[in-house]
Amino acid sequence: NGNGLITAKMELLEEEVMQSITVIDDDDEEEKEVAEDEESSNNAKSIGVQQPMADNEPELDIVINNVVCSFSVGCHLKLRDIALQGSNVEYRRENGMVTMKLRHPYTTASIWSSGRITCTGATSESMAKVAARRYARCLGKLGFPTRFLNFRIVNVLGTCSMPWAIKIVNFSERHRENASYEPELHPGVTYKMRDP
């Protein structure tokens, strides 16, 4: 009968555990989320914020393709030493610079002997900063007294596809003050906005 006593105690323990566990109902959570969404939309309406009309207007997806940054390492760099000792490096003697590449994040840096470095290929500002710091660290490991100075974003390239075709000759003629179209130099129209 010792076995019967043990099973009875086990059943009592299971009942106590089941009573102490609080069961969360999925329906209650969904109702709370719906109520919060309705409340936030009512607050937005009362403030005067217009909700985007998804049905009427097609949404444009702007894709950031390239973020260019520049920074300095605060010391003179011997390009020949970097070319001989560094990895993923190409010495461009005619341009007076060295190009170095990273895989993560996938970027390319142009390194000048003055210590000035330009980094291209990142797809966000944070990724550009991480890549720049890694290049400075790579140069530090090669024996240069590097410091991370004067980091700034120089250029951001974004692209989007319009939901309609653009007749670029007509467009450039209609907007002569802001648009320039030189098909011999570039196949696209260069449009400069005054504001922003």
Side-chain angles (χ1 to χ4, degrees):
N1 285 350
N3 287 344
L5 256 173
I6 292 172
T7 53
K9 285 184 180 178
M10 292 291 282
E11 286 174 3
L12 281 172
L13 281 172
E14 285 177 7
E15 282 180 27
E16 287 178 14
V17 168
M18 291 301 284
Q19 288 174 356
S20 66
I21 294 174
T22 56
V23 178
I24 298 172
D25 192 11
D26 290 340
D27 294 336
D28 291 342
E29 279 188 20
E30 288 176 8
E31 287 173 11
K32 286 179 186 175
E33 288 175 6
V34 168
E36 288 173 3
D37 289 343
E38 286 176 1
E39 188 178 316
S40 64
S41 66
N42 288 339
N43 289 344
K45 286 175 187 171
S46 65
I47 294 170
V49 177
Q50 292 182 345
Q51 298 291 329
M53 298 177 70
D55 297 338
N56 299 354
E57 298 177 13
E59 194 172 297
L60 279 179
D61 286 334
I62 298 172
V63 180
I64 304 298
N65 297 93
N66 191 11
V67 177
V68 182
C69 67
S70 71
F71 65 100
S72 177
V73 290
C75 66
H76 182 78
L77 300 171
K78 294 179 181 176
L79 299 182
R80 192 167 185 277
D81 292 354
I82 296 170
L84 291 173
Q85 297 171 13
S87 57
N88 301 321
V89 174
E90 188 179 335
Y91 187 21
R92 298 175 181 258
R93 197 168 183 177
E94 66 278 1
N95 299 338
M97 69 175 188
V98 168
T99 58
M100 184 183 281
K101 293 192 177 193
L102 285 178
R103 281 191 182 162
H104 301 289
Y106 187 70
T107 53
T108 303
S110 300
I111 303 169
W112 283 272
S113 60
S114 63
R116 197 92 190 124
I117 300 171
T118 303
C119 175
T120 61
T123 54
S124 69
E125 291 184 24
S126 58
M127 187 189 289
K129 193 162 196 173
V130 167
R133 286 190 176 278
R134 285 190 182 168
Y135 285 117
R137 198 173 299 127
C138 287
L139 293 171
K141 286 178 181 177
L142 293 176
F144 298 102
T146 58
R147 291 173 296 152
F148 191 70
L149 304 169
N150 304 329
F151 174 84
R152 66 190 189 103
I153 302 294
V154 178
N155 193 10
V156 177
L157 173 69
T159 59
C160 68
S161 293
M162 296 295 183
W164 60 80
I166 300 170
K167 296 178 180 176
I168 55 178
V169 175
N170 297 351
F171 177 80
S172 61
E173 286 175 359
R174 193 172 288 177
H175 300 278
R176 283 177 197 246
E177 64 279 355
N178 294 337
S180 68
Y181 177 50
E182 301 289 341
E184 293 86 8
L185 302 176
H186 190 266
V189 176
T190 302
Y191 187 87
K192 293 184 179 177
M193 294 177 73
R194 299 268 188 268
D195 182 33

